[in-house]
Coordinates of all heavy atoms in Angstrom, one line a residue:
V1 N -45.8 68.8 12.4 CA -46.9 68.0 11.9 C -46.6 66.5 12.1 O -45.7 66.0 11.5 CB -47.2 68.3 10.4 CG1 -48.4 67.5 10.0 CG2 -47.5 69.8 10.3
E2 N -47.4 65.9 13.0 CA -47.3 64.4 13.2 C -48.2 63.7 12.2 O -49.2 64.1 11.7 CB -47.8 64.1 14.6 CG -47.0 64.7 15.7 CD -47.7 65.9 16.3 OE1 -48.5 66.6 15.5 OE2 -47.5 66.3 17.4
S3 N -47.8 62.5 11.9 CA -48.5 61.5 11.1 C -48.2 60.1 11.5 O -47.2 59.9 12.2 CB -48.3 61.8 9.6 OG -46.9 61.6 9.3
G4 N -48.9 59.2 11.0 CA -48.6 57.8 11.2 C -49.5 57.1 12.2 O -49.4 55.9 12.3
G5 N -50.3 57.8 12.9 CA -51.2 57.2 13.8 C -52.3 56.4 13.1 O -52.5 56.5 11.9
G6 N -53.1 55.7 13.9 CA -54.2 54.9 13.3 C -54.6 53.9 14.3 O -54.3 53.8 15.4
L7 N -55.4 53.0 13.7 CA -56.0 51.8 14.5 C -55.1 50.6 14.2 O -54.9 50.2 13.1 CB -57.4 51.6 14.1 CG -58.1 50.4 14.7 CD1 -58.3 50.6 16.2 CD2 -59.5 50.2 14.1
V8 N -54.7 50.0 15.3 CA -53.9 48.8 15.2 C -54.3 47.8 16.2 O -54.7 48.2 17.3 CB -52.4 49.2 15.3 CG1 -52.1 49.7 16.7 CG2 -51.5 48.0 15.0
Q9 N -54.1 46.5 15.9 CA -54.4 45.5 16.9 C -53.3 45.4 17.9 O -52.1 45.7 17.7 CB -54.5 44.1 16.2 CG -55.7 44.0 15.3 CD -55.7 42.7 14.5 OE1 -55.0 42.5 13.5 NE2 -56.5 41.7 15.1
A10 N -53.7 44.9 19.1 CA -52.7 44.7 20.1 C -51.6 43.8 19.6 O -51.8 42.8 18.9 CB -53.3 44.0 21.4
G11 N -50.3 44.2 19.9 CA -49.1 43.4 19.4 C -48.6 44.0 18.2 O -47.5 43.6 17.7
G12 N -49.4 44.9 17.5 CA -48.9 45.5 16.3 C -48.0 46.6 16.4 O -47.6 47.0 17.5
S13 N -47.6 47.2 15.3 CA -46.6 48.3 15.3 C -47.1 49.5 14.4 O -47.9 49.3 13.5 CB -45.3 47.8 14.7 OG -44.7 46.8 15.5
L14 N -46.6 50.6 14.8 CA -46.8 51.9 14.0 C -45.5 52.7 14.1 O -44.7 52.6 15.0 CB -47.9 52.7 14.6 CG -49.4 52.2 14.5 CD1 -50.3 53.1 15.3 CD2 -49.8 52.3 13.0
R15 N -45.3 53.5 13.0 CA -44.2 54.4 13.0 C -44.8 55.8 12.8 O -45.4 56.1 11.8 CB -43.3 54.1 11.8 CG -42.0 54.9 11.9 CD -41.3 54.8 10.6 NE -39.9 55.3 10.7 CZ -39.1 55.7 9.6 NH1 -39.7 55.7 8.4 NH2 -37.9 56.1 9.8
L16 N -44.6 56.6 13.9 CA -45.0 58.0 13.8 C -43.9 58.9 13.3 O -42.7 58.7 13.6 CB -45.4 58.4 15.3 CG -46.4 57.5 16.1 CD1 -46.7 58.2 17.4 CD2 -47.6 57.3 15.2
S17 N -44.3 59.9 12.6 CA -43.4 60.8 12.1 C -43.8 62.3 12.5 O -45.0 62.5 12.6 CB -43.3 60.8 10.5 OG -42.9 59.5 10.0
C18 N -42.9 63.1 12.6 CA -43.1 64.5 12.9 C -42.2 65.4 12.0 O -41.0 65.3 12.2 CB -42.9 64.8 14.4 SG -43.0 66.5 14.9
V19 N -42.8 66.1 11.1 CA -42.0 67.0 10.2 C -42.0 68.4 10.8 O -43.1 69.0 11.0 CB -42.5 67.0 8.8 CG1 -41.7 67.9 7.9 CG2 -42.5 65.5 8.3
A20 N -40.9 69.0 11.0 CA -40.8 70.4 11.5 C -40.5 71.4 10.4 O -39.7 71.0 9.5 CB -39.7 70.5 12.6
S21 N -41.0 72.6 10.5 CA -40.7 73.6 9.6 C -40.7 74.9 10.4 O -41.4 75.1 11.4 CB -41.6 73.7 8.4 OG -43.0 73.9 8.9
G22 N -40.1 76.0 9.8 CA -40.1 77.3 10.5 C -39.1 77.4 11.6 O -39.2 78.5 12.3
L23 N -38.3 76.5 11.8 CA -37.2 76.5 12.9 C -36.0 75.8 12.4 O -36.0 75.0 11.5 CB -37.7 75.9 14.2 CG -37.8 74.4 14.3 CD1 -38.1 74.0 15.8 CD2 -38.8 73.8 13.4
T24 N -34.9 76.2 13.0 CA -33.6 75.5 12.7 C -33.7 74.2 13.5 O -33.4 74.1 14.7 CB -32.4 76.3 13.1 OG1 -32.5 77.6 12.5 CG2 -31.1 75.6 12.7
F25 N -34.0 73.1 12.8 CA -34.3 71.9 13.4 C -33.1 71.3 14.3 O -33.3 70.8 15.4 CB -34.7 70.8 12.4 CG -35.2 69.5 12.8 CD1 -36.3 69.4 13.5 CD2 -34.4 68.4 12.6 CE1 -36.8 68.2 14.0 CE2 -34.9 67.1 13.1 CZ -36.0 67.0 13.8
T26 N -31.9 71.5 13.8 CA -30.8 70.9 14.5 C -30.5 71.6 15.8 O -29.6 71.1 16.6 CB -29.5 71.0 13.6 OG1 -29.3 72.3 13.1 CG2 -29.7 70.0 12.4
R27 N -31.1 72.8 16.1 CA -30.9 73.4 17.4 C -31.8 72.9 18.5 O -31.6 73.3 19.6 CB -31.2 74.9 17.2 CG -30.2 75.6 16.3 CD -30.5 77.1 16.2 NE -29.5 77.9 15.4 CZ -29.6 79.2 15.2 NH1 -30.6 79.9 15.6 NH2 -28.7 79.7 14.4
Y28 N -32.7 72.0 18.2 CA -33.7 71.6 19.1 C -33.5 70.1 19.6 O -33.4 69.2 18.7 CB -35.1 71.8 18.6 CG -35.4 73.3 18.5 CD1 -35.1 74.0 17.4 CD2 -36.0 73.9 19.6 CE1 -35.5 75.4 17.3 CE2 -36.3 75.3 19.5 CZ -36.1 76.0 18.4 OH -36.4 77.3 18.3
F29 N -33.7 69.9 20.8 CA -33.9 68.6 21.4 C -35.4 68.3 21.1 O -36.3 69.2 21.2 CB -33.7 68.7 22.9 CG -33.9 67.4 23.7 CD1 -32.8 66.6 23.9 CD2 -35.2 67.0 24.1 CE1 -33.0 65.4 24.5 CE2 -35.3 65.8 24.8 CZ -34.2 65.0 25.0
M30 N -35.7 67.1 20.7 CA -37.0 66.7 20.3 C -37.6 65.7 21.2 O -36.8 64.7 21.7 CB -37.0 66.2 18.9 CG -36.6 67.2 17.8 SD -37.7 68.6 17.7 CE -39.2 67.9 17.1
G31 N -38.9 65.8 21.5 CA -39.5 64.8 22.4 C -40.8 64.3 21.9 O -41.4 65.0 21.0
W32 N -41.2 63.2 22.4 CA -42.5 62.6 22.1 C -43.3 62.5 23.4 O -42.7 62.0 24.4 CB -42.5 61.3 21.4 CG -42.1 61.3 19.9 CD1 -40.9 61.2 19.4 CD2 -43.1 61.5 18.9 NE1 -41.0 61.3 18.0 CE2 -42.3 61.5 17.7 CE3 -44.4 61.7 18.8 CZ2 -42.9 61.6 16.4 CZ3 -45.0 61.8 17.6 CH2 -44.3 61.8 16.4
F33 N -44.5 62.9 23.4 CA -45.5 62.8 24.5 C -46.7 62.1 24.0 O -47.0 62.0 22.9 CB -45.8 64.2 25.0 CG -44.7 64.9 25.7 CD1 -43.7 65.5 24.9 CD2 -44.7 65.1 27.0 CE1 -42.7 66.3 25.5 CE2 -43.6 65.9 27.6 CZ -42.6 66.4 26.8
R34 N -47.5 61.7 25.0 CA -48.9 61.2 24.7 C -49.8 61.6 25.8 O -49.5 61.9 26.9 CB -48.9 59.7 24.5 CG -48.7 58.9 25.8 CD -48.6 57.4 25.5 NE -48.4 56.6 26.7 CZ -48.1 55.3 26.7 NH1 -48.0 54.7 25.5 NH2 -47.9 54.7 27.8
Q35 N -51.1 61.7 25.4 CA -52.1 62.0 26.3 C -53.4 61.3 26.0 O -53.9 61.4 24.9 CB -52.4 63.5 26.2 CG -53.3 64.1 27.4 CD -53.4 65.6 27.5 OE1 -53.1 66.3 26.5 NE2 -53.7 66.0 28.6
A36 N -53.8 60.5 27.0 CA -55.0 59.7 26.9 C -56.2 60.6 27.5 O -55.9 61.4 28.4 CB -54.9 58.4 27.6
P37 N -57.4 60.3 27.2 CA -58.5 61.0 27.8 C -58.5 61.0 29.3 O -58.4 59.9 29.9 CB -59.7 60.4 27.2 CG -59.3 59.8 25.9 CD -57.9 59.3 26.2
G38 N -58.6 62.1 29.9 CA -58.6 62.2 31.4 C -57.3 62.1 32.0 O -57.2 62.0 33.3
K39 N -56.2 62.0 31.3 CA -54.9 61.8 31.8 C -54.0 63.0 31.5 O -54.3 63.8 30.6 CB -54.2 60.6 31.1 CG -55.0 59.2 31.3 CD -54.8 58.6 32.7 CE -55.4 57.2 32.7 NZ -55.2 56.6 34.0
E40 N -52.9 63.1 32.3 CA -51.9 64.1 32.1 C -51.1 63.8 30.9 O -50.9 62.6 30.5 CB -51.0 64.3 33.3 CG -51.7 64.8 34.5 CD -51.7 66.4 34.4 OE1 -50.8 67.0 34.1 OE2 -52.9 66.9 34.7
R41 N -50.6 64.8 30.2 CA -49.7 64.6 29.1 C -48.4 63.9 29.7 O -47.8 64.4 30.6 CB -49.4 65.9 28.4 CG -48.6 65.7 27.1 CD -48.6 66.9 26.2 NE -50.0 67.2 25.8 CZ -50.2 68.1 24.8 NH1 -49.3 68.8 24.3 NH2 -51.5 68.4 24.5
E42 N -48.0 62.9 29.0 CA -46.9 62.0 29.5 C -45.7 62.0 28.6 O -45.9 61.8 27.4 CB -47.4 60.6 29.7 CG -46.4 59.6 30.1 CD -46.9 58.2 30.1 OE1 -47.8 57.8 29.3 OE2 -46.5 57.3 31.0
F43 N -44.6 62.3 29.1 CA -43.4 62.2 28.4 C -43.1 60.8 28.1 O -43.1 59.9 28.9 CB -42.2 62.9 29.1 CG -40.8 62.7 28.5 CD1 -40.4 63.5 27.4 CD2 -40.0 61.7 29.0 CE1 -39.2 63.3 26.8 CE2 -38.8 61.5 28.4 CZ -38.3 62.3 27.3
L44 N -42.6 60.5 26.8 CA -42.3 59.1 26.4 C -40.8 59.0 26.1 O -40.1 58.1 26.6 CB -43.1 58.8 25.2 CG -44.6 58.7 25.4 CD1 -45.2 58.4 24.0 CD2 -45.0 57.7 26.4
A45 N -40.3 59.9 25.3 CA -38.9 59.7 24.8 C -38.4 61.1 24.3 O -39.2 61.9 23.8 CB -38.9 58.7 23.6
G46 N -37.1 61.2 24.3 CA -36.5 62.4 23.8 C -35.2 62.1 23.1 O -34.6 61.0 23.3
I47 N -34.7 63.0 22.2 CA -33.5 62.7 21.5 C -32.8 64.1 21.3 O -33.3 65.1 21.1 CB -33.9 62.1 20.1 CG1 -32.6 61.7 19.4 CG2 -34.7 63.0 19.2 CD1 -32.9 60.7 18.2

């Protein structure tokens, strides 16, 4: 479950969170992606 998105002015900041349940969290590599309208889903970062 992601949260933290919203409307922000250019130059501003946001902190997105993702809370996981139902899995052993420490066993998983985690990634963030984004998708804009009409665009492919894009990998951003992984940990």
Side-chain angles (χ1 to χ4, degrees):
V1 180
E2 301 97 333
S3 62
L7 176 64
V8 65
Q9 293 177 279
S13 298
L14 288 171
R15 190 194 195 201
L16 308 183
S17 299
C18 172
V19 179
S21 60
L23 78 170
T24 303
F25 186 68
T26 54
R27 292 182 180 177
Y28 290 90
F29 184 92
M30 299 296 296
W32 283 96
F33 293 74
R34 69 184 178 192
Q35 189 166 25
K39 303 281 189 177
E40 290 283 312
R41 188 165 296 190
E42 177 186 30
F43 173 80
L44 299 174
I47 189 165

